[in-house]
Amino acid sequence: MCVAIPGKVISVEGNRAKADFSGNIVDVNTGLVEPEVGQYVLVHAGCAIEVMEKEKAEEIIELFADLDDII
């Protein structure tokens, strides 16, 4: 099963960005989307595949945190 996870963009340089995933800063390829700093992107296999609404991204992040608490 493959999972895409939302992260908050903290910097953008060309077609690369740094995104914050619950405190983990990760380099992300942004060749498919054009995010701005402060926006959330849905990331799969290191590639941003969608710019997300903040509320939806935060909802998904909360669901993953709840799952982490259960496991």
Side-chain angles (χ1 to χ4, degrees), residues 7-19 21 26-37 39-51:
K8 186 174 185 177
V9 176
I10 58 172
S11 69
V12 177
E13 188 174 323
N15 68 346
R16 304 291 302 169
K18 291 199 182 293
F21 296 88
V26 177
D27 284 324
V28 175
N29 182 308
T30 57
L32 299 175
V33 296
E34 295 182 12
E36 297 177 6
V37 172
Q39 290 183 315
Y40 285 83
V41 288
L42 190 62
V43 178
H44 173 68
C47 295
I49 58 174
E50 178 182 340
V51 175

